[in-house]
Amino acid sequence: MTVLIPVDSTSRDECVIASIEENKSWAFVKLDGGKIASIEFVDRREDILEWIDAVVVINDQEYVWPFMDEGIIALVAPTQKSIDEIIEAFLFKDLHDFSV
């Protein structure tokens, strides 16, 4: 499973979720067995050649329709900020579904 998160830096331990308009990088998180297998930071989402299962955004005002048109699930992290918090909420299905 793969999750894409717009973030404010490429520092794994310091970055937090950012708006799509203002993000400095994208965190491409690969999950395996309910754990983070790897995190890759890319400047442009178009640089990711693998399938993206879900994108997590900072609020429900984000422009996620291009993702949804590609069949990517769009989720909102209402209170989670760090990658670890977001992935934990993702695994426990605590993120809000954008389409609801």
Side-chain angles (χ1 to χ4, degrees):
M1 179 139 254
T2 58
V3 180
L4 188 64
I5 307 167
V7 292
D8 67 351
S9 77
T10 58
S11 173
R12 162 71 173 98
D13 297 321
E14 296 175 16
C15 68
V16 295
I17 192 169
S19 74
I20 292 173
E21 295 282 324
E22 299 172 1
N23 73 315
K24 301 283 189 259
S25 184
W26 292 92
F28 182 60
V29 183
K30 293 182 187 176
L31 302 173
D32 186 23
K35 296 184 181 187
I36 295 174
S38 68
I39 300 174
E40 178 183 352
F41 292 96
V42 295
D43 292 333
R44 299 174 340 119
R45 134 179 148 72
E46 294 79 15
D47 294 338
I48 299 169
L49 302 177
E50 296 178 56
W51 175 256
I52 301 166
D53 292 301
V55 62
V56 180
V57 294
I58 197 165
N59 62 49
D60 61 2
Q61 303 301 306
E62 295 289 311
Y63 185 67
V64 296
W65 303 117
F67 295 99
M68 295 173 81
D69 285 346
E70 292 178 36
I72 299 169
I73 299 165
L75 301 168
V76 177
T79 59
Q80 299 82 3
K81 299 297 176 206
S82 72
I83 291 173
D84 290 325
E85 290 173 333
I86 292 167
I87 295 302
E88 180 179 353
F90 175 79
L91 292 171
F92 286 106
K93 301 187 184 328
D94 287 338
L95 299 176
H96 298 172
D97 189 337
F98 197 89
S99 62
V100 175

